[in-house]
Amino acid sequence: MAVKEDVQENIREPLMPIENILDREDGGAGDQANNKKVNPCMVYFSTLIAVCGSYAFGSCAGYSSPTQSAIREDIALSLAEYSVFGSILTFGAMIGAITSGPIADYIGRKGAMRVSSVFCVAGWLAIYFAEVHIFLSSINIFLLATGYGMGVFSYVVPVFIAEIAPKNLRGALTTANQVRIIPCAILFLGLFFIPESPRWLAKTGKEKEFEAALQKLRGKDADITHEAAEIQDYIETLERLPKAGMLDLFQRRYLRSVTIGVGLMVFQQFGGINGICFYTSTIFESAGFSSSVGTIIYAILQVVVTGLNTIVIDRAGRKPLLLVSATGLVLGCLLVGVSFFLKDHELGLESVPALAVTGILLYIAAFSAGMGAVPWVVMSEIFPINIKGVGGSLATLVNWFGAWLVSYTFNFLMTWSSYGTFILYAAINALGILFMIIVVPETKGRTLEQIQAAINA
């Protein structure tokens, strides 16, 4: 009984003594010594392997964006019937999100990525070998399987990268996650050559494997003593806490982490990204602009901005990027809303295409600069490891539920009011700015253990 009371009392305290963690935030001697002779090559290689799986999402989304007109013509689908494709994809992703945390905690980060890659490969094979007369059935299987794989990937990849990367590289490498069957196959094979997450190995009591993995990631000449001790101390403290379930996420101790992780996913999705991403060509056509030219510019801009973001995320910080990004989303939505308002009221029709294109490109540039990747970075950082599985699953589930709801309702909202749809998205993004200012902390330059000490302070 006394032990139970001691544990309950400790739950109200930070997981590790704050003075033992935060005193190293400014790059003390311990950190400086630990950073000597660190070889990041294995970290880069492991990240490259992990993000191969994410490439499949872009290929899958292609069925809902630049190629949608051709697909609808080939199989004679209405726009409403075509919307079902996006629903099947996101339904599979929601199932993947629910199971991703427990799978990653039980069989490890690498094991979860193997499971995801198998589903993605199976999905692409289903469509590749399809006969014409069963095209619809095969594409549904493809979307469901690939959606499941993406649901798992979207949680496991940023968590894996956050756990293997040093704090000064974590943001940039996780942002790289935003970048058909070949990448998935590379992932599956590459997982045999990269180490498991050291933190997961420490959590599961595999001490020799933990030290070997950490040494492999940091380089054979790196001094891992300080980092290994910090991780072990943190894990030992967590072991005294009861195993967390979904309902435990709403305890006062974890409420701030859950609010941050889930809140960012809500604003990332309900700001309209999947509706705009899936139906970019339709938006351009409605505004009187070439859909093919527009989607090409859209894709190029997304790649360029995301690439630049990997350079600045660990310099500018998470919170400033989120605020700048959300501001750009508001302005982009307002520009598109104004363009459709002018079109509906037959005012300044010559300026409608330019406003719409400018707004969409500003929106995607702003999203790629912050809201696309940073919520995943923060989500991978803010959950304590004892609730990272269930907490990450909840945040990922909310993300994919939002993706499904936005993509499913987008056409209905556009039918109701084209400019009203974008004004609504602008309002949601404006609320997101307030949320980030008030609730979201800065996590740049801190280890995962330091972040937890600060959140629980």
Side-chain angles (χ1 to χ4, degrees):
M1 187 70 178
V3 173
K4 182 178 181 181
E5 291 176 355
D6 289 341
V7 172
Q8 290 175 338
E9 182 65 27
N10 286 337
I11 290 177
R12 300 187 186 96
E13 300 298 327
L15 293 177
M16 293 183 65
I18 297 174
E19 61 272 14
N20 291 348
I21 298 178
L22 298 185
D23 60 359
R24 294 192 291 265
E25 288 182 356
D26 296 327
D31 278 346
Q32 293 172 3
N34 190 47
N35 286 333
K36 290 181 179 179
K37 298 182 181 179
V38 171
N39 183 2
C41 291
M42 180 53 68
V43 174
Y44 287 126
F45 177 68
S46 299
T47 301
L48 177 64
I49 294 299
V51 300
C52 278
S54 299
Y55 181 84
F57 175 76
S59 301
C60 189
Y63 280 88
S64 299
S65 186
T67 62
Q68 65 168 282
S69 298
I71 292 175
R72 287 175 56 201
E73 291 175 3
D74 286 345
I75 53 182
L77 289 179
S78 68
L79 193 58
E81 290 171 328
Y82 185 81
S83 299
V84 175
F85 282 0
S87 298
I88 293 172
L89 169 66
T90 48
F91 178 73
M94 284 190 284
I95 298 175
I98 294 171
T99 59
S100 59
I103 288 175
D105 283 346
Y106 185 70
I107 63 176
R109 287 30 172 165
K110 288 172 60 177
M113 286 190 282
R114 284 194 182 101
V115 170
S116 301
S117 62
V118 168
F119 272 91
C120 288
V121 169
W124 283 113
L125 288 176
I127 189 64
Y128 181 77
F129 291 108
E131 297 292 338
V132 175
H133 65 280
I134 58 169
F135 181 76
L136 278 176
S137 298
S138 63
I139 201 171
N140 288 340
I141 294 171
F142 149 70
L143 287 169
L144 188 64
T146 307
Y148 179 84
M150 290 304 96
V152 178
F153 273 132
S154 57
Y155 164 73
V156 177
V157 173
V159 167
F160 175 74
I161 295 172
E163 291 180 348
I164 67 169
K167 63 185 181 181
N168 61 312
L169 291 176
R170 189 171 61 237
L173 294 180
T174 308
T175 302
N177 179 42
Q178 298 297 312
V179 220
R180 269 143 88 162
I181 187 171
I182 293 177
C184 291
I186 292 173
L187 167 70
F188 185 82
L189 296 174
L191 288 171
F192 291 99
F193 301 97
I194 64 176
E196 179 58 89
S197 161
R199 286 177 172 83
W200 181 80
L201 291 170
K203 178 186 174 185
T204 53
K206 301 177 180 178
E207 295 186 8
K208 291 184 179 179
E209 293 90 337
F210 156 67
E211 293 180 0
L214 189 60
Q215 190 73 67
K216 190 173 183 179
L217 287 165
R218 300 298 178 254
K220 64 179 182 178
D221 296 324
D223 180 8
I224 64 169
T225 305
H226 172 76
E227 186 176 3
E230 188 175 75
I231 293 173
Q232 288 283 25
D233 288 345
Y234 186 66
I235 297 297
E236 289 172 7
T237 305
L238 289 174
E239 289 299 319
R240 299 201 304 267
L241 302 178
K243 187 176 181 180
M246 188 65 73
L247 294 179
D248 295 319
L249 294 177
F250 303 99
Q251 293 179 5
R252 184 177 180 181
R253 173 178 185 78
Y254 305 126
L255 198 56
R256 189 181 179 199
S257 293
V258 173
T259 301
I260 295 166
V262 172
L264 285 175
M265 296 305 177
V266 167
F267 288 109
Q268 182 198 63
Q269 290 300 327
F270 285 88
I273 181 59
N274 270 286
I276 294 171
C277 175
F278 286 177
Y279 300 104
T280 300
S281 59
T282 301
I283 296 171
F284 284 138
E285 289 173 358
S286 299
F289 190 81
S290 171
S291 61
S292 58
V293 174
T295 51
I296 291 172
I297 298 173
Y298 174 105
I300 293 173
L301 183 63
Q302 187 176 29
V303 172
V304 171
V305 175
T306 301
L308 293 174
N309 195 28
T310 62
I311 300 173
V312 303
I313 187 170
D314 281 318
R315 299 179 182 178
R318 283 55 157 156
K319 194 166 183 175
L321 281 176
L322 284 171
L323 292 173
V324 170
S325 176
T327 302
L329 295 179
V330 172
L331 295 176
C333 287
L334 289 176
L335 284 174
V336 180
V338 169
S339 72
F340 280 114
F341 179 85
L342 294 175
K343 181 182 177 182
D344 288 353
H345 292 82
E346 298 184 353
L347 300 171
L349 294 178
E350 66 281 356
S351 63
V352 168
L355 283 173
V357 172
T358 302
I360 291 294
L361 295 182
L362 175 60
Y363 182 96
I364 193 57
F367 186 85
S368 301
M371 285 300 290
V374 177
W376 294 105
V377 177
V378 175
M379 184 275 289
S380 68
E381 295 173 331
I382 53 125
F383 287 119
I385 197 167
N386 66 313
I387 67 162
K388 183 165 282 189
V390 290
S393 291
L394 177 62
T396 307
L397 175 62
V398 169
N399 182 281
W400 281 105
F401 174 77
W404 168 78
L405 191 60
V406 170
S407 60
Y408 183 76
T409 60
F410 183 80
N411 287 323
F412 299 105
L413 286 173
M414 289 290 285
T415 301
W416 161 68
S417 173
S418 54
Y419 62 85
T421 300
F422 286 93
I423 298 300
L424 175 62
Y425 291 154
I428 294 173
N429 286 310
L431 289 175
I433 294 175
L434 294 178
F435 174 82
M436 295 163 203
I437 293 173
I438 297 171
V439 179
V440 178
E442 179 57 71
T443 59
K444 180 191 74 170
R446 292 179 173 182
T447 66
L448 302 184
E449 290 70 33
Q450 290 168 348
I451 292 169
Q452 286 309 307
I455 288 178
N456 288 280

